[in-house]
Amino acid sequence: MTVLDVQNLEAVYGPIKALRGVSLQVAQGQIVTVLGPNGAGKTTLLKTLSGLLDPRRGTVLLEGQAIGGQDPVDIVRRGLVQVPEGREVFPLLTVRQNLLMGAYTRRDRDAVARDLEQAHAYFPILKERADQPAGLLSGGQQQMLAIARALMAAPRMLMLDEPSLGLSPKLTQEIFAIIRRINQERGTPILLVEQNAHLALHLADQAYILENGRVVLEGPCESLRQRPDIQEFYLGVH
Ligand code: ATP
């Protein structure tokens, strides 16, 4: 079943055409990655899907319902939740308060409490640091907090923007392992924008390569990894 169906999405910043007709699908249980050079439109794609930017044209269906151009809060309520680039945790709030902010659209207090337990199970460090200001966490811990906060919104689908940005290879591996666990254990489909093509093409099921606001290549990661052009430009194999 298709969870997210994007057709011919266009987005602009004034005169700049950042998305020029992007179509993309994410099926239930899948991890789909979007790769591409700087300025290709990856962040713009996630922003448009999250409702932070209005599409100029095109349709976005989440579980069959049109969400294109809706308010970001309504999109989160419907279950499409983004982990933003650069984490954007609230530095002066405690780790626990940050996590509870993720659940601000929810009224089901018992389920929120259960999800807090589950977030702590994925990221034990966040339980240890529950009462500390989030600003004191390391970069990797803040990334964990941002992912855990997104889980607190009870997502039906997650979107991650460059979760490896600024992290050591070891921490990046850890974060990727947790993304895989979340996908496998909760069945949550994931749309992953990533600069580390090597890791992303090993984690994800399907990939879309974006260049200049357009999808120039798409397919199963397994077959894209074999392509000489992908190996040369994205995987550094010569
Ligand atoms: P990166 O890997 O550098 O984050 P990206 O693939 O996410 O790149 P976007 O940030 O989506 O690319 O940018 C797509 C295009 O839109 C680029 O040409 C960029 O310069 C432009 N752009 C992005 N944000 C803005 C903005 N706020 N105002 C004007 N132009 C923007």
Side-chain angles (χ1 to χ4, degrees), residues 15-33:
I16 298 168
K17 292 182 182 155
L19 298 180
R20 300 164 183 257
V22 170
S23 298
L24 164 154
Q25 285 78 39
V26 180
Q28 187 58 51
Q30 261 190 343
I31 302 181
V32 173
T33 189

Side-chain angles (χ1 to χ4, degrees), residues 129-148:
R129 303 283 175 93
D131 297 316
Q132 290 185 8
L136 294 183
L137 296 178
S138 71
Q141 291 163 352
Q142 289 189 18
Q143 182 63 62
M144 292 176 191
L145 178 56
I147 295 173

Side-chain angles (χ1 to χ4, degrees), residues 13 16 18 37-45 47 85 162:
Y13 299 102
I16 298 168
N38 285 346
K42 306 179 298 293
T43 296
T44 303
L45 173 64
K47 270 174 137 173
E85 187 179 2
E162 308 231 356

Side-chain angles (χ1 to χ4, degrees), residues 51-173:
L52 298 171
L53 194 65
D54 279 335
R56 195 176 69 158
R57 211 168 274 147
T59 57
V60 182
L61 299 181
L62 179 68
E63 296 181 322
Q65 308 249 355
I67 59 162
Q70 282 194 1
D71 197 71
V73 176
D74 291 330
I75 292 177
V76 168
R77 252 192 214 117
R78 280 170 181 259
L80 185 58
V81 181
Q82 184 180 350
V83 180
E85 187 179 2
R87 1 269 194 229
E88 294 178 18
V89 302
F90 304 104
L92 299 178
L93 296 186
T94 67
V95 169
R96 184 187 292 106
Q97 286 167 335
N98 267 272
L99 287 174
L100 292 174
M101 289 293 280
Y104 79 104
T105 60
R106 299 173 63 187
R107 297 282 168 268
D108 45 346
R109 283 171 182 261
D110 292 348
V112 168
R114 275 198 303 278
D115 285 351
L116 186 62
E117 288 293 305
Q118 201 195 24
H120 284 157
Y122 280 123
F123 304 103
I125 188 75
L126 300 181
K127 189 171 186 180
E128 283 169 36
R129 303 283 175 93
D131 297 316
Q132 290 185 8
L136 294 183
L137 296 178
S138 71
Q141 291 163 352
Q142 289 189 18
Q143 182 63 62
M144 292 176 191
L145 178 56
I147 295 173
R149 186 180 56 187
L151 288 178
M152 292 299 294
R156 300 181 67 80
M157 179 174 159
L158 271 182
M159 300 194 288
L160 292 114
D161 197 357
E162 308 231 356
S164 76
L165 199 72
L167 301 187
S168 69
K170 183 170 171 288
L171 264 172
T172 300
Q173 296 269 12

